[in-house]
Amino acid sequence: MLDLITSTEETHYESYRLAQMETRKFGEAKVKKVDNPKFKEEEEMLRKRFTEQVKLEESRFRQWEQHVSFFFLPVVWIELIGQLIAERDRLNKDLESAHSTIKALEVS
């Protein structure tokens, strides 16, 4: 029985070695085949699903981005209005001080 196993291994190994020697050069790595149709279909499905998920997330991000910019736009306006009011108050104080100086000069 052991002789049968040994001779079978040698025969298969020798036929494999001869086939590899015919197709490959010395020292060249073995070419791995990944052409299983089942795996290719599964890989293609995974790629499509991943692409769809990425597109969905990108669209969600775009909607969020538009919502956020719309939401924060009034805040920017409020800050701008606050700055304008502060500038108006400063100019009014300058005007009041100039007016009081003119009144003081008129009285003297």
Side-chain angles (χ1 to χ4, degrees):
M1 184 69 170
L2 184 59
D3 187 39
L4 176 63
I5 293 172
T6 307
S7 64
T8 305
E9 284 179 355
E10 288 175 1
T11 306
H12 284 289
Y13 172 75
E14 189 62 29
S15 64
Y16 173 79
R17 189 179 72 80
L18 285 173
Q20 292 300 312
M21 286 176 65
E22 290 173 359
T23 58
R24 288 192 296 166
K25 295 179 182 175
F26 181 73
E28 188 177 339
K30 179 181 173 184
V31 178
K32 294 184 179 180
K33 291 187 178 183
V34 212
D35 293 338
N36 189 338
K38 179 183 175 186
F39 293 138
K40 268 196 165 180
E41 289 175 12
E42 187 176 337
E43 181 182 2
E44 191 62 33
M45 287 174 43
L46 286 172
R47 280 182 202 223
K48 285 181 181 179
R49 195 168 81 205
F50 179 75
T51 304
E52 290 172 2
Q53 286 177 343
V54 167
K55 286 180 181 178
L56 178 68
E57 291 300 319
E58 283 179 346
S59 68
R60 285 181 56 207
F61 177 75
R62 299 278 185 249
Q63 289 174 349
W64 174 81
E65 191 176 40
Q66 289 174 354
H67 176 71
V68 166
S69 64
F70 178 75
F71 181 72
F72 285 116
L73 190 59
V75 172
V76 171
W77 286 352
I78 290 171
E79 290 176 2
L80 182 61
I81 290 170
Q83 292 172 355
L84 290 173
I85 290 172
E87 183 69 16
R88 182 195 67 190
D89 291 343
R90 186 186 66 78
L91 291 172
N92 281 339
K93 285 180 184 178
D94 289 347
L95 186 60
E96 284 178 15
S97 66
H99 184 65
S100 61
T101 305
I102 292 172
K103 283 253 185 195
L105 290 175
E106 285 178 350
V107 173
S108 332

